[in-house]
Amino acid sequence: MHANDTDLHAQGASTFIDDMPEPAGLLHACPVVSGIAHGLIESIDLNDALACPGVVAILLARDIPGCNNIGNVEAEEVLLAEQEVTYQGQPVAVVVAESDVIARQAADLVRISYNELPAVFDARTAHAQGLHIAPPRIFSLGDVDQAWRDCDVIVEGSAVSGAQEHVYLETQVAVAYPLENNGLKVFSATQSPGMVQRVIARVLDCAMNRVEVDVLRLGGGFGGKEEQATGWAAMAALAASRLQKPVKIRLNRGEDMRWTGKRHPYDSDFKIGLDQSGRILAYEVCFYQNAGAVADLSLAILERTLFHAGNSYFIPNVRATAISCRTHLTPNTAFRGFGGPQAMFALEAAIFKAAAAMNVDPAHIQRRNLLQEGQPFPYGMPAENCRAQRCWQQLHDRFGLPRRQQAIDNFNAGHSLEKKALALMPICFGISFTATFLNQASALVHVYADGSVSVSCGAVEMGQGVKEKIRQVAARALAIDKARVKVESTNTARIANMSPTAASVGADLNGQATLLACQRILQGLKTVAARLAGGEPEQISIEQEIVCLDGRPTATGWNKLVSEAYLSRTPLSAHAHYATPKVFFDRSTERGRPFAYHVYGCAAVEVTVDCLRGTYRVTDVSIVHDGGRSLAPEVDRGQVEGGVVQGLGWMTLEEVLHDGQGRLLTDSLTAYKIPDIHSAPDISVEFLDGDNPAAVMHSKAVGEPPLMYGIGGYFALVKAIRAFNPDWQPGFSAPMTPEKVLLALYECGC
């Protein structure tokens, strides 16, 4: 019986990179990083560090044989700073020593002199100074300027959403082994094995086929290992190549929090106009994204912000402007939702403010403007198979929302120092990489002579259950027990040019490629089965490991069929490639069909606030989620529950703070608070009936969309505060920490 990752995790038997036996002669690397946010390097003194017993080498930019560049989207990020540092924590050198302890001690002894330069940490300040990653982009629909004249209610405001730390259980880690013929094998905790391979080859000035990257599993990723695992793996590879010894690099929790990027903070300005019925006629928004010091994935994230500027609503006149601002913070990076949550928060803030001006509940405006079939998104794609209104209605019907709201009203009337509130959060999230070329995947499937099956593909398992879904695809396609199927580690020698496991499409893309490979093997097996059963291949089916002729079972089982196929020299291996059809986007016109499909859903989030202390509890979250025909229902349920809690954390607890020099203050799990089991609400999830022809076996992606339900937690808190202090005017600054709640409860509205 082949255990899945969940079983191994529960048994404590899962192997991660830090669990691998250390080979003889293993060396340990530790980076030397900048202690200032911005400056020119004047000198680097290595003498004291090199004098430490056990130090083998200290590598600088000049020791890189190839290109000192690890940028992906934009070629501007260096592996090791050479002349200028642009953020605290930027690697300048790599100490390699006989132990991890010695490497860290020696790194502290490296002395770097700087000519310190002015630094900027705020996106709006950076914008005012012209510090941009790229020129602004604008998505528009209709005529916003004309539409204002038809509006009965117009409100303006701003919305600020903060950064968020990934807090994956496994910190950044990599081990590089030198091989014969100048080759390297690298075990990297990365969501992007293909990119790690490509960048290492660039840094070492060698062919990609000299670098093999292998990923068994990750201890969490959430986007933080899509781009930012690359540099650490490249440092280990550089040291291993130069010293011809295996080299390991591993960050501890504090280092990982200080030296890696977060979810992008956004400052946004909005203006929204409605008619008297609550129909939104016009919406204008400008997003100021805090990218950090280098591009990383900021431009792709900003683009998705534009794609989701309208969330689950149809707004006939929209103008959304997005500006990526360069600051002197650690480069911010991918995080579950990838720019979508920031856009949705800004729009929900605008709706909330408009509702207050109209003296109606925000749900009235939300319901009035939900997308309907065929209505266009601001980028021109029509809503297809639209389920926004079905999710909304089913949530109300199945979870008795009118009754719950009445109970909340009764509670609030009878309690002066405790208030409850309920807020709704509809979502609409596009599924595909918005960089069209990334929407491709390959799979290699072997059926062995004993009937067992091996699948290799580009999907990286990081706790999201993608391997379980791939197993299900192979088992269903071949009509065999999934216990026969093993999904191998993700390896660049078996699967070339793989896309990252990101954008919620790991199962979609790699599942489709696996299905195609299985179908190719099945064609040959049906020919063999037809010969054995005395029929034609089109009459053959396999059901529960039994060959059937015209639907009737025969005496041939799976093992016998596979054995006969092998003896008759029928192929039992297949490689297949899948590319998502019909997706495209023209950036010259900002129009196209960037997504294969959309995921819809709606959540009701209920909170209780202690109005004396400012503390609160998110008590209940009820969800109707558009999940298609699930490949693994328990996996999908877990993803929805985990996404909700992570979204609530971003909106309520998780506050990232820096000092005036750009030094991270919240660099430990005592200073940075994430939701724990005691703060997790009761979560009820109901999946909407329906299928999805656009994805493998009519399933739907599930990884990112549920995080956005957590935005409802912020607005439920705002409603509860206003139930106690009606004069308070929210400023829409997330996260809504207990400190902010307490101040809002007693803020004077005059």
Side-chain angles (χ1 to χ4, degrees):
M1 179 77 176
H2 178 71
N4 62 27
D5 272 57
T6 303
D7 297 330
L8 294 174
H9 293 339
Q11 298 163 13
S14 302
T15 298
F16 299 89
I17 291 177
D18 212 28
D19 301 318
M20 296 169 58
E22 295 189 353
L26 177 70
L27 300 175
H28 296 262
C30 179
V32 179
V33 304
S34 168
I36 67 170
H38 188 206
L40 301 176
I41 297 173
E42 293 184 333
S43 65
I44 304 176
D45 183 354
L46 306 178
N47 292 329
D48 290 347
L50 286 170
C52 275
V55 171
V56 177
I58 302 178
L59 305 177
L60 301 171
R62 63 175 179 250
D63 298 307
I64 296 172
C67 184
N68 184 18
N69 189 305
I70 60 171
N72 180 28
V73 177
E74 298 290 326
E76 63 169 16
E77 184 174 0
V78 297
L79 177 63
L80 298 174
E82 196 165 4
Q83 298 174 327
E84 181 184 15
V85 293
T86 54
Y87 62 93
Q88 287 217 21
Q90 182 174 6
V92 178
V94 181
V95 176
V96 187
E98 294 172 357
S99 75
D100 184 52
V101 171
I102 293 172
R104 280 184 162 76
Q105 290 173 342
D108 288 339
L109 296 175
V110 174
R111 304 286 175 245
I112 306 175
S113 297
Y114 302 99
N115 175 16
E116 199 160 352
L117 299 174
V120 175
F121 307 115
D122 172 76
R124 289 185 187 269
T125 304
H127 172 62
Q129 295 183 13
L131 300 175
H132 299 134
I133 299 292
R137 288 180 66 181
I138 300 174
F139 279 19
S140 62
L141 181 70
D143 188 338
V144 173
D145 297 322
Q146 176 66 34
W148 299 124
R149 304 173 191 175
D150 300 323
C151 297
D152 298 310
V153 176
I154 298 174
V155 298
E156 300 181 60
S158 63
V160 177
S161 56
Q164 186 178 21
E165 170 64 42
H166 299 86
V167 198
Y168 28 65
L169 291 178
E170 175 193 37
T171 57
Q172 299 283 359
V173 59
V175 181
Y177 296 79
L179 303 176
E180 64 180 11
N181 204 18
N182 296 318
L184 274 179
K185 182 163 187 174
V186 181
F187 294 95
S188 171
T190 177
Q191 295 172 233
S192 306
M195 190 179 78
V196 169
Q197 178 194 36
R198 184 167 62 251
V199 167
I200 288 174
R202 182 195 305 163
V203 167
L204 298 182
D205 193 25
C206 69
M208 287 175 65
N209 65 6
R210 300 285 187 187
V211 181
E212 177 188 351
V213 178
D214 191 275
V215 183
L216 179 58
R217 63 173 61 84
L218 306 183
F222 309 116
K225 296 174 182 174
E226 181 177 351
E227 194 87 359
Q228 298 214 343
T230 306
W232 315 112
M235 290 178 204
L238 172 65
S241 175
R242 188 172 181 87
L243 301 172
Q244 287 300 294
K245 293 276 191 179
V247 176
K248 180 178 182 178
I249 187 168
R250 178 182 58 82
L251 306 190
N252 63 35
R253 179 63 62 188
E255 292 164 345
D256 195 294
M257 294 180 80
R258 290 190 299 274
W259 301 346
T260 65
K262 322 297 178 201
R263 183 188 297 281
H264 289 72
Y266 274 53
D267 274 25
S268 305
D269 295 326
F270 61 78
K271 181 179 179 182
I272 192 168
L274 308 88
D275 66 16
Q276 289 181 342
S277 73
R279 188 165 65 98
I280 302 172
L281 301 181
Y283 177 56
E284 187 168 17
V285 62
C286 184
F287 302 106
Y288 298 96
Q289 178 198 62
N290 191 328
V294 298
D296 194 273
L297 288 168
S298 296
L299 298 182
I301 291 163
L302 195 70
E303 181 178 67
R304 190 171 275 270
T305 297
L306 289 169
F307 281 127
H308 292 84
N311 188 17
S312 196
Y313 310 109
F314 172 64
I315 306 173
N317 302 285
V318 178
R319 181 163 58 232
T321 304
I323 306 168
S324 185
C325 305
R326 190 188 301 275
T327 64
H328 296 101
L329 294 176
T330 306
N332 289 311
T333 194
F335 202 124
R336 195 177 195 172
F338 207 77
Q342 294 94 323
M344 295 184 192
F345 177 70
L347 179 51
E348 292 301 323
I351 289 172
F352 193 99
K353 190 162 188 176
M358 298 177 69
N359 198 28
V360 299
D361 191 274
H364 171 75
I365 298 174
Q366 291 172 316
R367 174 67 182 89
R368 181 76 176 80
N369 293 280
L370 287 174
L371 277 162
Q372 299 182 43
E373 188 73 14
Q375 290 178 328
F377 292 97
Y379 45 89
M381 179 178 176
E384 299 172 353
N385 212 0
C386 181
R387 293 168 179 169
Q389 301 205 21
R390 281 185 60 195
C391 289
W392 178 280
Q393 193 58 50
Q394 188 163 319
L395 180 73
H396 280 71
D397 294 344
R398 300 292 175 86
F399 291 103
L401 295 194
R403 172 182 50 79
R404 283 171 60 181
Q405 184 59 57
Q406 185 60 55
I408 289 170
D409 293 341
N410 294 340
F411 178 92
N412 288 346
H415 292 76
S416 60
L417 291 178
E418 199 172 25
K419 299 296 181 183
K420 294 179 180 286
L422 179 74
L424 302 184
M425 184 63 201
I427 66 162
C428 172
F429 195 80
I431 303 299
S432 284
F433 285 106
T434 53
T436 303
F437 75 94
L438 291 175
N439 293 294
Q440 58 177 311
S442 297
L444 175 64
V445 177
H446 299 309
V447 177
Y448 291 100
D450 67 351
S452 62
V453 176
S454 164
V455 180
S456 291
C457 64
V460 173
E461 175 61 49
M462 49 187 153
Q464 85 281 39
V466 70
K467 282 191 174 182
E468 175 63 17
K469 291 189 172 184
I470 299 298
R471 287 178 75 202
Q472 289 281 4
V473 169
R476 293 186 196 180
L478 298 173
I480 60 175
D481 191 317
K482 73 174 183 179
R484 291 184 180 270
V485 182
K486 178 189 177 190
V487 181
E488 307 290 348
S489 65
T490 311
N491 186 289
T492 58
R494 292 191 295 270
I495 301 295
N497 308 315
M498 65 182 78
S499 296
T501 301
S504 303
V505 295
D508 279 15
L509 294 177
N510 294 281
Q512 290 279 26
T514 299
L515 178 61
L516 291 173
C518 289
Q519 288 172 340
R520 290 181 184 175
I521 294 171
L522 204 55
Q523 278 185 308
L525 290 175
K526 286 185 176 182
T527 300
V528 173
R531 188 168 65 247
L532 293 173
E536 297 298 324
E538 55 270 22
Q539 296 175 280
I540 297 294
S541 62
I542 300 175
E543 300 175 20
Q544 296 181 325
E545 301 197 359
I546 299 296
V547 172
C548 296
L549 180 67
D550 291 329
R552 296 187 301 275
T554 70
T556 303
W558 174 256
N559 282 11
K560 181 179 179 182
L561 175 61
V562 170
S563 178
E564 290 292 335
Y566 171 67
L567 292 173
S568 64
R569 300 186 294 178
T570 299
L572 290 172
S573 297
H575 176 274
H577 177 266
Y578 175 78
T580 308
K582 300 179 182 177
V583 291
F584 69 95
F585 194 72
D586 184 347
R587 287 172 177 81
S588 67
T589 62
E590 305 290 25
R591 289 289 185 273
R593 182 189 169 85
F595 302 117
Y597 60 91
H598 290 81
V599 170
Y600 297 89
C602 194
V605 184
E606 189 172 334
V607 302
T608 302
V609 174
D610 181 330
C611 301
L612 185 63
R613 300 171 181 84
T615 57
Y616 53 79
R617 290 177 292 118
V618 180
T619 54
D620 293 279
V621 180
S622 305
I623 297 167
V624 171
H625 185 77
D626 170 29
R629 295 182 187 172
S630 177
L631 294 169
E634 290 309 307
V635 167
D636 286 356
R637 186 173 299 276
Q639 285 291 288
V640 172
E641 292 172 352
V644 167
V645 173
Q646 197 167 42
L648 288 170
W650 174 54
M651 283 280 102
T652 64
L653 289 177
E654 300 181 42
E655 189 169 29
V656 175
L657 299 172
H658 295 84
D659 67 12
Q661 286 72 49
R663 182 181 296 107
L664 182 69
L665 297 175
T666 47
D667 63 351
S668 71
L669 294 180
T670 56
Y672 183 79
K673 309 305 289 185
I674 63 173
D676 60 15
I677 191 65
H678 301 292
S679 62
D682 290 331
I683 302 174
S684 302
V685 183
E686 185 166 301
F687 289 98
L688 192 71
D689 292 335
D691 62 6
N692 177 34
V696 59
M697 295 182 172
H698 294 243
S699 62
K700 276 201 169 185
V702 74
E704 291 173 283
L707 182 133
M708 273 66 83
Y709 294 134
I711 296 171
Y714 180 93
F715 293 97
L717 287 172
V718 171
K719 290 176 73 173
I721 293 167
R722 285 175 60 84
F724 179 81
N725 182 5
D727 293 332
W728 175 66
Q729 299 299 318
F732 305 114
S733 176
M736 181 61 82
T737 61
E739 294 87 346
K740 289 181 182 177
V741 169
L742 185 61
L743 291 172
L745 288 167
Y746 295 95
E747 181 179 295
C748 179
C750 45

